Amino acid sequence: MKKIPTTLVTQTELRRRLCAEAKRRSGLVLPYAPLEIYVDPSNICDLRCTFCPQSNWGSRERGFMSMDLYRRILDEVAILKPKQLKLFGFGESLLHRQLIEMITLAEQRGISVIIHTNAKRLNEEMAHKLLASNLSELCFSFDTADRELYNRMRIRSDFDLVLENIHRFLRIKKEKGLTKPKIFLQEIVPFGPGLLCENTPAYRQLFEGFDVHLDVRFLHSFAGGSNESSFPSLNLTGTSPCHEIYHRLVITFDGKVHACCLDPEGHNIIGDLQQGDTITSSWNSPAMQRLRYLTNAGRMADILPCNQCHMLHRPQKKSRRFFRKIPAALLWWWYTKDLAPPTIPSP
């Protein structure tokens, strides 16, 4: 009898190839484990950034994840073997009083952990604790070298305070001679036709001489969930299938499993770990299959927040790598031949 998979493919290269084939053929039931798993220690934040849903929060309850729930999540994450455990989501991770214990528990089990932080609370004591936790990667959400723009967008933060916090952390790491965590800094640049997504010279200069990796992203609207006035209007130049629901899922503080990291309100809940679901069952739940089906079909008009997502309204790229598709197609057949047909959603 064919069935929904209860054991998912976790080998890195197989998973990558199966993911590519799933997107190519618009698969609904996936035989591989998610490549990325977000575990959000808390959806509470100390800032109200204009480009973030925290500035436009709705009715979603706020709170902190219990250590009992976190340990149960780690048990399954250790089996699913994502490339990284992303220990952040819709809030500020440093607000969780047991964050260091969370990092240490995961790293001790061979799970590579990355966190994002706005660094407002990264005082000297917290810097030493993070450096002692064996954290694999740390990304600072420090958006711009423009002090005035930073302070306008990052409401409740302070450019000079945060910059000093980051510089102090980098100095301490260097003095200790540590290689971990790997440090990323993320700049945000405005989106516009013909604009390049690259770090500005002023931003590079701020961190010259430090062992850091500079990242850059275009400003986006968090699927319509922000209050930033400088966003371009949604330009319906095309409709792309959503690739995020083939890569990742998000577990919030209360055990709810969100399909997307741009959905803090939980419009698309695909599982609940407090009600007997698992990460594995949520990954191919009827709710997740329905979301894959509707976004692949371009039927997003009534789906929040997908109908406001800039990432879906863009021309779809076509791959010309025909011969690379053949091995992936064979792998897909082998790993899905015994699976049950997808749950076809109601209109």
Side-chain angles (χ1 to χ4, degrees):
M1 178 180 293
K2 293 189 175 184
K3 57 188 182 301
I4 296 294
T6 55
T7 302
L8 299 173
V9 175
T10 60
Q11 199 278 334
T12 302
E13 182 59 21
L14 282 178
R15 179 160 43 184
R16 186 186 66 80
R17 289 176 175 268
L18 287 169
C19 178
E21 182 65 12
K23 290 185 290 185
R24 188 184 73 82
R25 62 173 62 232
S26 301
L28 305 186
V29 178
L30 309 183
Y32 59 89
L35 283 71
E36 297 178 349
I37 297 176
Y38 286 73
V39 176
D40 194 8
S42 175
N43 59 358
I44 298 172
C45 189
D46 48 353
L47 305 186
R48 292 295 180 268
C49 303
T50 59
F51 53 82
C52 176
Q54 290 285 348
S55 66
N56 195 28
W57 200 263
S59 59
R60 183 71 161 92
E61 182 184 359
R62 296 177 186 264
F64 295 93
M65 181 175 286
S66 72
M67 290 303 295
D68 177 65
L69 174 59
Y70 180 72
R71 287 187 177 93
R72 286 193 282 123
I73 292 170
L74 278 190
D75 287 341
E76 192 171 4
V77 170
I79 295 170
L80 296 178
K81 300 177 182 177
K83 180 181 179 182
Q84 292 175 319
L85 173 62
K86 296 181 178 287
L87 198 53
F88 61 93
F90 305 123
E92 170 52 49
S93 297
L94 293 190
L95 292 176
H96 199 295
R97 294 182 178 179
Q98 293 169 293
L99 177 67
I100 302 302
E101 182 181 358
M102 288 177 156
I103 296 169
T104 303
L105 285 173
E107 293 282 358
Q108 286 175 345
R109 300 185 67 165
I111 301 169
S112 177
V113 177
I114 178 174
I115 66 170
H116 270 244
T117 177
N118 60 44
K120 181 183 176 183
R121 294 176 178 264
L122 188 62
N123 55 30
E124 186 170 351
E125 180 183 3
M126 178 56 74
H128 284 285
K129 288 181 178 180
L130 281 174
L131 289 168
S133 70
N134 205 31
L135 177 67
S136 292
E137 293 186 17
L138 175 60
C139 183
F140 294 117
S141 299
F142 190 75
D143 315 305
T144 176
D146 185 326
R147 178 182 286 99
E148 182 178 352
L149 178 60
Y150 178 96
N151 287 333
R152 180 184 72 76
M153 293 197 305
R154 289 249 170 205
I155 296 173
R156 300 184 184 177
S157 190
D158 179 85
F159 179 93
D160 295 310
L161 170 68
V162 171
L163 183 59
E164 173 52 31
N165 286 349
I166 296 172
H167 281 171
R168 181 177 56 235
F169 182 91
L170 296 174
R171 288 195 300 267
I172 295 172
K173 182 188 174 210
K174 185 175 182 180
E175 290 166 1
K176 290 177 175 285
L178 299 175
T179 58
K180 292 178 66 177
K182 189 175 182 179
I183 305 297
F184 292 85
L185 283 129
Q186 183 172 288
E187 184 179 13
I188 295 179
V189 297
F191 175 79
L195 292 180
L196 296 177
C197 191
E198 60 183 18
N199 292 112
T200 61
Y203 194 83
R204 293 179 180 277
Q205 189 174 3
L206 284 179
F207 304 103
E208 192 173 353
F210 289 111
D211 182 19
V212 298
H213 302 265
L214 300 184
D215 191 14
V216 61
R217 303 288 175 90
F218 277 131
L219 199 64
H220 64 83
S221 70
F222 273 94
S226 76
N227 280 331
E228 176 53 43
S229 60
S230 65
F231 287 131
S233 60
L234 191 63
N235 183 17
L236 303 182
T237 56
T239 304
S240 294
C242 179
H243 289 171
E244 304 307 313
I245 51 180
Y246 288 89
H247 282 265
R248 63 181 63 152
L249 48 71
V250 182
I251 305 167
T252 53
F253 78 96
D254 53 0
K256 299 286 195 306
V257 185
H258 291 218
C260 179
C261 59
L262 300 182
D263 182 20
E265 289 295 322
H267 295 292
N268 297 294
I269 301 293
I270 58 172
D272 189 339
L273 304 189
Q274 300 282 46
Q275 298 298 321
D277 295 327
T278 64
I279 301 173
T280 298
S281 66
S282 300
W283 185 233
N284 284 310
S285 68
M288 186 60 131
Q289 290 183 52
R290 178 180 181 274
L291 192 60
R292 290 180 182 131
Y293 174 81
L294 292 175
T295 55
N296 287 332
R299 294 167 54 184
M300 297 171 287
D302 299 321
I303 308 175
L304 285 171
C306 309
N307 57 5
Q308 302 177 68
C309 183
H310 284 76
M311 296 183 179
L312 295 180
H313 294 288
R314 57 190 176 188
Q316 184 175 352
K317 296 180 180 179
K318 299 290 185 180
S319 174
R320 297 182 180 179
R321 298 175 178 177
F322 175 76
F323 291 105
R324 290 190 181 184
K325 296 175 184 177
I326 297 175
L330 291 173
L331 284 171
W332 180 267
W333 171 80
W334 178 258
Y335 283 103
T336 61
K337 59 186 174 65
D338 296 323
L339 300 185
T343 302
I344 304 300
S346 303

